[in-house]
């Protein structure tokens, strides 16, 4: 098998011809790329154009991939009452960390996913727990 040196300056490791970098430098470059991309996205979200692009992306995502959110279930008055009941029942304490939170920081979440439940089973409070939005 033919080999050549890693393209990173100063690295003398031999690698197959189909690769440009050794595994160590490939992982390093990929990590840098991911970090730079995240920083760029964060900076872009501070501009009006970036905010508009993010809003368009979220709208497209909601309409194509998150259809369960847009059938009106979570905007239903019955769900609001069930959600408030679960928050009061659990004392506004997060189920994962056990910390108390404000009313707006918590969401009632289905333990068994809602898409697997039928009709009134989706409102069963035994299948709900509290999580933070993050």
């Amino acid at each position: 098998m033919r080999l050549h040196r890693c393209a990173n300056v100063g690295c003398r490791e031999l690698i197959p011809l189909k690769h440009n970098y050794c595994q160590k430098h490939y992982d390093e470059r990929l990590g840098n790329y991911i970090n730079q991309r995240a920083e760029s996205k964060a900076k872009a979200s501070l501009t009006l154009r970036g905010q508009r692009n993010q809003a368009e992306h979220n709208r497209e995502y909601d309409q194509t991939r998150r259809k369960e959110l847009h059938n009106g279930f979570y905007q239903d008055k019955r769900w609001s009452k069930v959600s408030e009941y679960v928050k009061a029942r659990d004392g506004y304490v997060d189920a994962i960390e056990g910390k108390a939170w404000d009313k707006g920081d918590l969401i009632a979440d289905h333990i068994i996913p809602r898409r697997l439940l039928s009709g009134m089973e989706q409102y069963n409070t035994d299948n709900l727990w509290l999580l933070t939005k993050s």
Side-chain angles (χ1 to χ4, degrees):
M1 175 177 8
R2 296 190 61 183
L3 302 173
H4 71 101
R5 294 205 174 150
C6 174
N8 197 57
V9 176
C11 182
R12 302 184 62 79
E13 187 168 339
L14 295 175
I15 55 174
L17 286 175
K18 63 183 178 179
H19 300 292
N20 291 330
Y21 296 96
C22 63
Q23 191 63 42
K24 173 187 166 191
H25 291 115
Y26 175 80
D27 292 341
E28 182 180 303
R29 290 175 64 87
L30 183 62
N32 288 341
Y33 169 75
I34 291 171
N35 290 339
Q36 287 174 352
R37 188 171 162 199
E39 288 174 12
S40 174
K41 194 172 187 179
K43 286 179 184 176
S45 69
L46 300 176
T47 65
L48 290 176
R49 178 176 285 161
Q51 291 171 359
R52 188 191 75 223
N53 290 343
Q54 185 64 37
E56 288 175 4
H57 178 297
N58 290 346
R59 191 175 312 110
E60 184 269 333
Y61 175 81
D62 287 345
Q63 291 174 349
T64 58
R65 297 186 185 175
R66 295 291 304 258
K67 290 188 178 191
E68 69 181 24
L69 289 177
H70 291 282
N71 68 0
F73 179 81
Y74 293 112
Q75 289 75 32
D76 186 19
K77 189 179 249 184
R78 189 180 324 158
W79 171 253
S80 298
K81 289 180 181 180
V82 169
S83 176
E84 288 302 318
Y85 168 77
V86 171
K87 289 176 185 178
R89 176 194 72 185
D90 293 350
Y92 298 96
V93 174
D94 179 20
I96 301 295
E97 297 175 0
K99 293 182 182 177
W101 295 84
D102 288 336
K103 186 177 188 177
D105 295 330
L106 292 170
I107 57 170
D109 183 51
H110 290 86
I111 299 169
I112 299 172
R114 190 171 72 86
R115 68 179 179 275
L116 301 176
L117 302 172
S118 63
M120 291 306 292
E121 291 178 341
Q122 297 177 4
Y123 295 102
N124 184 358
T125 58
D126 295 334
N127 185 38
L128 297 172
W129 62 345
L130 293 179
L131 300 176
T132 60
K133 289 183 178 180
S134 61

